[in-house]
Amino acid sequence: MTVKRTSLPRIVKIPAEVRAADALRSQIVEGQFPPGSRITEVQLAEEMGLSRATIRTALHELANEGLLTLVPYTGWTVIELSVEDVWELYTLRAAVERMAAQLAAKSQVEEQRAQLRAALEKLVQACEDGNSLRIAEADFGFHKAIVDAACHRRLSAQYGLIEQQIRVYIRSSDALIANPSEIIAQHRPMCDAILAGNADEAGRLAEEHNLTEGEKLGQSLAAKG
C-alpha cells in the first residue's frame, strides 16, 4: 500500500559566520552592545564557541553594514551615531522614502498593499503593548514595507546598504517619544495615502516624517554632546 504524504522540506545549511553575524547584529541593534563599546575577537570566539577566523568574517560583514568600525591597534568598536551621521541618514531617508512612497502609491500591487497593512497593524500592536524593542523593529518594518511596495529593485538594493544603520537610528529616535500612540499617528497617514493611491501626499508625508524626526534626534544628540 502506497501512503501519500507531503514532501519533506529542504534543510538549509547556514554557515557559522552567517549565524554569528545574525546574532551579533541583533545584539547591536537592540543595544546589548552599547554604542562606542569595544568588541574583541577572542572574547566573542570563546563565548560563541567559534574560531577567531569565523568571528572575524562576521565582524567584517557588520562593518560593511555600518554597525562596526575597525580602529587600527585598538580593535572593533560599535558605531556611535554622531550629529553628522544622523543628518546624513535622515536627509538620505527623506529622499529615498519619499520616492518609495510615491512609487508604492502608484504601483498598487495587491500583495504589497497587504504587506503594508500588516506592517502597520504590527506597529500598532507593538505600540499598544509598549515594548520599546518591538516598537522599534515594527517601526523599521513599516518603512521597509513601503520600500518593498515601491517594486523597484535598485531602490531596494540601495536601501539595503543602510538598513541596519536605520534600525539603530529608529531605536534612538523612538526612544525620544514618550507616548507610543504618537508613533501610530505619524505612520497611519502615510499608509492611508499610499493605499488611496495619492502619490503626492504619500511622498510629502514620508519626507516630512523623516526630516522632522531626524532633526529631533540630531538636536537631542547635540544637547548631550
Side-chain angles (χ1 to χ4, degrees), residues 130-184:
N131 183 291
S132 59
L133 289 178
R134 287 187 57 205
I135 291 172
E137 279 303 290
D139 191 336
F140 168 73
F142 176 80
H143 288 276
K144 184 68 163 57
I146 292 177
V147 173
D148 291 341
C151 298
H152 191 300
R153 290 184 298 109
R154 287 178 172 80
L155 180 67
S156 294
Q158 292 303 308
Y159 196 79
L161 296 176
I162 58 171
E163 68 177 36
Q164 300 307 327
Q165 296 173 62
I166 290 174
R167 290 173 69 195
V168 174
Y169 168 108
I170 286 177
R171 182 172 58 82
S172 299
S173 178
D174 284 353
L176 299 176
I177 300 175
N179 190 341
S181 63
E182 183 181 336
I183 296 175
I184 301 173

Side-chain angles (χ1 to χ4, degrees), residues 73-118:
Y73 309 109
T74 300
W76 300 93
T77 303
V78 179
I79 62 162
E80 292 183 275
L81 287 179
S82 67
V83 174
E84 183 178 4
D85 291 328
V86 169
W87 177 80
E88 288 186 354
L89 279 170
Y90 80 69
T91 52
L92 180 58
R93 284 187 67 200
V96 171
E97 293 188 23
R98 178 187 179 92
M99 178 185 292
Q102 290 174 325
L103 291 173
K106 293 177 181 177
S107 176
Q108 298 295 303
V109 176
E110 186 52 44
E111 180 182 355
Q112 303 295 351
R113 286 164 59 87
Q115 291 179 4
L116 184 60
R117 292 191 196 96

Side-chain angles (χ1 to χ4, degrees), residues 12-25 48 50 54 58:
V12 179
K13 295 182 179 180
I14 303 176
E17 60 269 21
V18 175
R19 288 186 282 116
D22 288 345
L24 293 170
R25 183 185 299 109
M48 303 182 79
L50 298 170
T54 298

